[in-house]
Amino acid sequence: MSNIKIFSGSSHQDLSQKVAEHLGLELGKVVTKKFSNKETCVEIGESVRGEDVYIIQSGCGEINDNLMELLIMISACKIASASRVTAVIPCFPYARQDKKDKVGREAPISAKLVANMLSVSGADHIITMDLHASQIQGFFDIPVDNLYAEPAVLQWIKEHVPDWKASIIVSPDAGGTERVTSITDCLNVEFALIHKVRKKANEIDRMVLVGDVKDRVAILIDDMADTCGTICHAADKLISAGANKVYAILTHGIFSGPAISRINNACFEAIVVTNSIPQEKNVKQSTKIQVIDISMFLAEAIRRTHNGESVSYLFNHVPL
């Protein structure tokens, strides 16, 4: 491929390196530093004039600093006359703040604010994966490709769950029903739903299981897990309802606060996450965590975008 440059932000350089290797490219030179007052400074170390530029930066770690770094990198490339700048954001930051609650609090819609910031900084295109809410695509006035981890999830289930044909796929909340039913249709198995009532953010009041999991292997599917209170409570609910084994498969393993200790104390056979967020530290702290590599999805999406091809093939297939 000609006239293409790939740069990595500081949030997930290992993933960026894998993407570049899949494409047979070298990561572009970037120098990131902070002034004494904590302002971020980014210098692009090579010419991008007339190039198709891709900047890989995930919404993790020091999220606010990394988001600002991404905005500055996009702006720097546009000022340097890049022909097109695509922000590759495996885990979209602030995606859970996508709507106002029914209650009277004056809550922000921060995902819309982030979309505005990316557009104003000069981004021409966004590539992301498993948005927490699909309507976030509508917050942008530029093209957004929302990739799905589903093909990799299906492959993992078939390869690592011996009795998957007798399993039941479970959504830990009503919002994930569409995601779960899509997977059950592909596997031709049944599904169940856990309805949860929250007292406040990250705190569950009660859970109600809809469906029969007795003597079945239950596979919980969700787009992300943060403190893991929901997913661990769901696992306990499934075991108490008679499930033989419980797996959890998540696209974005945020794992903040008490998440790792909760996972270690929970009744999971395994918790499977993608590497949209760095997982090396978490894998060392918990033997239950397994990782699916999504670098080939991002690399193929970049290749197809650069060549003007459709990316819809990736919605149902794992790229070779």
Side-chain angles (χ1 to χ4, degrees), residues 10-306:
S10 57
S11 67
H12 199 346
Q13 293 185 343
D14 178 63
L15 177 62
S16 301
Q17 184 61 50
K18 289 178 179 177
V19 170
E21 288 174 358
H22 282 299
L23 294 169
L25 301 171
E26 295 284 339
L27 287 174
K29 297 176 182 177
V30 179
V31 177
T32 304
K33 57 186 177 183
K34 287 187 180 294
F35 295 121
S36 59
N37 67 347
K38 304 302 181 182
E39 286 183 1
T40 299
C41 177
V42 181
E43 297 175 358
I44 306 299
E46 54 192 81
S47 174
V48 295
R49 182 177 294 274
E51 301 280 358
D52 189 11
V53 174
Y54 296 82
I55 302 171
I56 303 174
Q57 181 83 307
S58 199
C60 57
E62 298 293 333
I63 292 178
N64 295 328
D65 284 350
N66 290 334
L67 175 58
M68 196 66 204
E69 180 183 285
L70 173 61
L71 298 172
I72 293 172
M73 290 178 73
I74 293 169
S75 179
C77 290
K78 292 299 286 188
I79 290 171
S81 300
S83 66
R84 178 174 63 175
V85 178
T86 298
V88 182
I89 313 173
C91 182
F92 194 86
Y94 291 91
R96 285 176 287 181
Q97 298 182 42
D98 62 296
K99 61 183 181 296
K100 294 185 73 170
D101 296 327
K102 289 183 179 179
V103 294
R105 296 191 300 268
E106 295 301 323
I109 305 178
S110 302
K112 169 62 174 171
L113 175 61
V114 172
N116 289 343
M117 292 165 67
L118 288 164
S119 297
V120 170
S121 68
D124 299 295
H125 180 211
I126 305 294
I127 296 174
T128 187
M129 175 168 276
D130 274 355
L131 283 171
H132 184 65
S134 58
Q135 69 260 23
I136 293 174
Q137 294 177 81
F139 294 169
F140 288 88
D141 293 322
I142 58 176
V144 177
D145 284 317
N146 181 31
L147 307 178
Y148 299 96
E150 180 181 309
V153 169
L154 292 169
Q155 185 180 71
W156 190 93
I157 291 173
K158 291 176 181 179
E159 291 179 355
H160 295 89
V161 180
D163 41 1
W164 65 267
K165 291 183 180 180
S167 67
I168 185 167
I169 310 298
V170 184
S171 175
D173 56 36
T177 304
E178 183 178 352
R179 181 182 303 107
V180 165
T181 52
S182 176
I183 290 175
T184 57
D185 288 344
C186 293
L187 295 176
N188 194 27
V189 297
E190 296 181 10
F191 81 95
L193 168 67
I194 294 177
H195 174 64
K196 63 184 179 184
V197 179
R198 291 184 185 274
K199 286 183 178 179
K200 56 184 179 180
N202 291 330
E203 186 175 331
I204 304 298
D205 183 21
R206 65 184 184 274
M207 286 184 161
V208 178
L209 174 63
V210 180
D212 183 12
V213 300
K214 185 173 177 58
D215 299 326
R216 311 285 287 276
V217 174
I219 304 175
L220 282 159
I221 303 288
D222 208 353
D223 66 314
M224 65 171 61
D226 189 354
T227 59
C228 289
T230 297
I231 208 79
C232 290
H233 276 103
D236 291 339
K237 186 74 176 178
L238 293 170
I239 290 295
S240 65
N244 290 333
K245 297 178 182 178
V246 179
Y247 294 85
I249 305 180
L250 318 161
T251 304
H252 309 298
I254 301 171
F255 299 154
S256 65
I260 298 299
S261 63
R262 285 175 173 172
I263 289 171
N264 287 333
N265 293 326
C267 53
F268 292 109
E269 294 293 313
I271 286 195
V272 183
V273 296
T274 75
N275 59 343
S276 64
I277 294 172
Q279 298 295 340
E280 291 81 3
K281 181 180 177 182
N282 296 328
V283 168
K284 291 178 181 178
Q285 294 178 334
S286 176
T287 57
K288 295 181 180 180
I289 297 175
Q290 300 183 30
V291 181
I292 296 173
D293 183 16
I294 59 164
S295 61
M296 74 289 286
F297 283 91
L298 301 177
E300 183 63 10
I302 290 172
R303 188 194 69 79
R304 287 173 176 264
T305 300
H306 178 69

